[in-house]
Amino acid sequence: MAAFPPAARARRAGLAGVLCAALAVSSAACSGDPDAGTNGVGKLSAKEIETKARTAADAAKAVRVSGTLIGKGGTYQLNMRLNADGGTGSVTSKSSTFALLRIGDALYVKAGAGFWKQTGGKSGAAAAGKLDDKYVKVPKKDPAYAQFRGFTDMHTLLDGLLGLHGSLGKGDRTKVGGAPAIQVTGGDGRGGTLDVSLKGTPYPLRFERAGGAGTLQLTEWNTDVVLKAPDKSDTVDYGPELPAS
């Protein structure tokens, strides 16, 4: 096979250079370095990556947590926007959906009449019409306060959810919502899988909980969350305890 003349070889080399320049945003295609253009955490050990992700999450001022939680109490769909002062969003179970709003220590739950009829026993059924689609203030002494507050406390929720079990290992390079990420696995994946951003701050982007206990997306890091108290006309103060069975 005849060799290309020098001029042709030069043109081919020039074309290759142009292509690599055009792909500069993904320079790994020309350099062979998978960490080119990233924040570099992909080069670290699994433990170091997990530590960086936790440090980033601890320092964050806000986040959206959405996805599925599976536990002894059933399956829950979460969609919560959280900051240091509280949170707002919704929780859906197999049988009901309710909205939560917390500003400081003031905690409200908002749900339809069916929710109160189902969860509040006889007293809930009697009060369902009054509570329907209203922000019901949850008294601090009520047993439900701690449970509901847990869904609205950013750092408590993240600390409780982002736990890998077993020996840590580095998994695949992935994409979460279009963002490149590196996986950290616990117990070869049986102890959970954490996807950590390879762009900018190494925030956790997705967490698959151990034992198939749900998958959560962590987005909108440090995006402002506006928490506004509901109008008095849209609020019901039920008293020292919520309706109970």
Side-chain angles (χ1 to χ4, degrees):
M1 183 173 172
F4 286 103
R9 287 200 299 270
R11 287 195 297 272
R12 286 169 63 86
L15 177 59
V18 170
L19 289 175
C20 280
L23 293 172
V25 294
S26 181
S27 56
C30 298
S31 70
D33 181 4
D35 292 299
T38 74
N39 55 20
V41 299
K43 298 178 180 180
L44 305 178
S45 69
K47 181 60 179 176
E48 289 172 324
I49 297 172
E50 185 202 34
T51 298
K52 288 226 175 242
R54 282 190 168 273
T55 298
D58 288 342
K61 296 180 180 179
V63 66
R64 179 190 288 272
V65 180
S66 59
T68 304
L69 285 178
I70 303 172
K72 293 180 179 179
T75 299
Y76 297 91
Q77 296 288 335
L78 264 66
N79 187 6
M80 299 296 302
R81 297 189 65 207
L82 310 167
N83 65 19
D85 295 324
T88 182
S90 64
V91 179
T92 300
S93 68
K94 181 179 179 180
S95 56
S96 62
T97 296
F98 55 92
L100 292 172
L101 170 64
R102 182 176 65 84
I103 306 172
D105 289 333
L107 175 64
Y108 305 87
V109 58
K110 182 178 183 179
F115 171 86
W116 297 108
K117 289 178 181 179
Q118 179 182 356
T119 62
K122 292 182 179 179
S123 58
K130 179 182 178 182
L131 305 181
D132 180 35
D133 207 30
K134 295 287 188 179
Y135 284 97
V136 180
K137 192 170 185 178
V138 183
K140 287 185 182 180
K141 294 183 179 180
D142 191 284
Y145 184 89
Q147 179 185 2
F148 286 145
R149 183 182 174 116
F151 287 118
T152 66
D153 192 308
M154 176 178 169
H155 293 296
T156 297
L157 187 63
L158 292 179
D159 287 345
L161 294 177
L162 299 181
L164 294 167
H165 304 286
S167 58
L168 300 182
K170 288 173 71 172
D172 298 331
R173 289 171 183 265
T174 61
K175 282 194 174 183
V176 180
I182 181 76
Q183 290 184 333
V184 179
T185 63
D188 294 325
R190 294 185 299 273
T193 301
L194 182 66
D195 294 71
V196 179
S197 178
L198 286 174
K199 283 289 188 180
T201 304
Y203 289 121
L205 299 180
R206 179 171 58 200
F207 183 59
E208 294 184 24
R209 303 181 73 210
T215 300
L216 296 168
Q217 306 279 342
L218 300 119
T219 59
E220 299 180 29
W221 288 99
N222 281 333
T223 300
D224 287 343
V225 179
V226 178
L227 301 175
K228 181 181 178 182
D231 293 336
K232 289 185 178 180
S233 61
D234 201 25
T235 305
V236 174
D237 189 341
Y238 194 78
E241 290 186 359
L242 294 179
S245 56

